[in-house]
Amino acid sequence: MQNTSHQLQGKTALITGAASGIGKNMALVFAKAGCAVAVADMNQAGADATAKEIVAAGGKAVGVAMDVTSEEQVNAGFDKAVAALGPIDILVSNAGIQIVNPIENFAFSDWKKLLAIHLDGAFLTTKAALKSMYKDDRGGVVIYMGSVHSHEASKLKSAYVTAKHGLLGLARVLAKEGGPRGVRSHVICPGFVRTPLVDKQIPEQAKELNITEEQVIKNVMLKDTVDGEFTTVDDVAQLALFLAAFPTAALTGQSVIISHGWCMQ
Ligand code: NAD
């Protein structure tokens, strides 16, 4: 891994969905780069465990219980984070779930649940983070966890593809509104990363498509990569670190795809 020491020294980040997978590793990498991290997740025990790991390694962190679909919990979580660590300079809106089903079988309740986590969550956390970032025009960076599915469609993922495309719109509006006040925004768009979210999909897709789990990995998930490789949690964390540490608004409003060439644009 590249040397990331001090790139975020003196900064404070709040990362949602940071009890697991991409968000958890990003919290650890940001902390190593000198950032104080509010580890937010609806899984409070997991959030506290990640924060404890950071503190044990000499970093600064606090676990924050937060269901990102609840305005009340989001605002209370930000208040707790700011009280413990100071104003938020970096928001990573990362919490997410996946539900796979063809449209004709997709329950409306599942559609609403997925959109609420990905889109309401992104909106509510952005609004809460801007209280810190707009105060005295201190500025900041908001990173949304998009996906290759912010640009491409896949069968069975109507709600997810819709939500991930939607994040591009929010990020671009924020880049325009926040630009004059020092706030930048980006969408990170990973290809498949082996996390609990993906591990759950493999047997589900195998069943739905009537193929083996190995075929799901090789012929569905990694089919269009240049080298048949998964993107890793470290790949995503290093990209987030780069975007968070970039010093000017020369780079804002972008979606950056990190997918072993699955999606090129
Ligand atoms: P994960 O399942 O390992 O972690 C997701 C975390 O989000 C969990 O800790 C979960 O408790 C939390 N969460 C779920 N609903 C929540 C809510 N309402 N409020 C607060 N926290 C909530 O998944 P992951 O693979 O690390 O995914 C993280 C993000 O990356 C998601 O937005 C996902 O769509 C995106 N993504 C993942 C991949 C991949 O291949 N794994 C690829 C592209 C994008």
Side-chain angles (χ1 to χ4, degrees):
M1 205 199 296
Q2 85 190 57
N3 180 7
T4 54
S5 54
H6 309 311
Q7 278 188 61
L8 297 179
Q9 198 66 46
K11 301 287 185 192
T12 298
L14 186 144
I15 305 176
T16 68
S20 172
I22 290 172
K24 176 177 179 177
N25 189 62
M26 197 181 291
L28 299 174
V29 169
F30 274 29
K32 262 196 208 143
C35 195
V37 184
V39 179
D41 206 290
M42 69 188 300
N43 169 0
Q44 180 166 11
D48 288 344
T50 305
K52 212 169 152 192
E53 204 176 321
I54 290 171
V55 171
K60 262 198 195 168
V62 64
V64 174
M66 181 191 291
D67 177 343
V68 297
T69 67
S70 155
E71 184 170 20
E72 206 184 333
Q73 287 191 33
V74 167
N75 290 337
F78 270 80
D79 287 347
K80 181 180 175 188
V82 170
L85 305 174
I88 305 300
D89 304 293
I90 301 159
L91 163 66
V92 184
S93 170
N94 165 77
I97 61 164
Q98 178 61 280
I99 301 173
V100 291
N101 232 329
I103 293 171
E104 70 271 25
N105 296 334
F106 214 98
F108 186 36
S109 54
D110 282 345
W111 168 269
K112 285 194 278 197
K113 178 179 170 189
L114 193 146
L115 292 191
I117 294 171
H118 290 260
L119 292 180
D120 297 0
F123 169 74
L124 291 172
T125 52
T126 300
K127 206 172 159 191
L130 289 179
K131 278 190 212 144
S132 286
M133 294 177 185
Y134 282 169
K135 191 158 190 283
D136 306 322
D137 284 347
R138 60 181 281 125
V141 184
V142 177
I143 295 173
Y144 299 100
M145 196 51 61
S147 161
V148 162
H149 287 110
S150 299
H151 297 275
E152 301 270 352
S154 288
K155 288 177 184 170
L156 312 179
K157 297 187 176 173
S158 53
Y160 189 82
V161 170
T162 302
K164 292 302 192 190
H165 275 63
L167 290 174
L168 298 177
L170 180 60
R172 289 167 183 165
V173 172
L174 179 61
K176 291 200 172 190
E177 288 185 3
R181 303 177 76 172
V183 173
R184 298 180 282 112
S185 70
H186 295 290
V187 185
I188 292 181
C189 300
F192 283 101
V193 182
R194 277 313 277 266
T195 65
L197 179 137
V198 161
D199 285 338
K200 176 173 167 282
Q201 278 175 64
I202 295 170
E204 286 173 359
Q205 292 217 23
K207 192 170 165 222
E208 194 64 51
L209 299 171
N210 200 20
I211 55 179
T212 67
E213 293 190 12
E214 226 165 67
Q215 285 169 326
V216 170
I217 292 174
K218 211 168 157 230
N219 303 338
V220 180
M221 291 183 165
L222 303 179
K223 173 171 73 71
D224 293 320
T225 62
V226 296
D227 53 8
E229 296 284 342
F230 279 101
T231 302
T232 67
V233 289
D234 264 331
D235 295 329
V236 179
Q238 292 302 327
L239 175 56
L241 189 58
F242 170 77
L243 293 172
F246 196 83
T248 74
L251 195 58
T252 192
Q254 300 305 304
S255 87
V256 185
I257 302 165
I258 178 161
S259 69
H260 284 262
W262 164 13
C263 179
M264 300 188 198
Q265 42 178 262

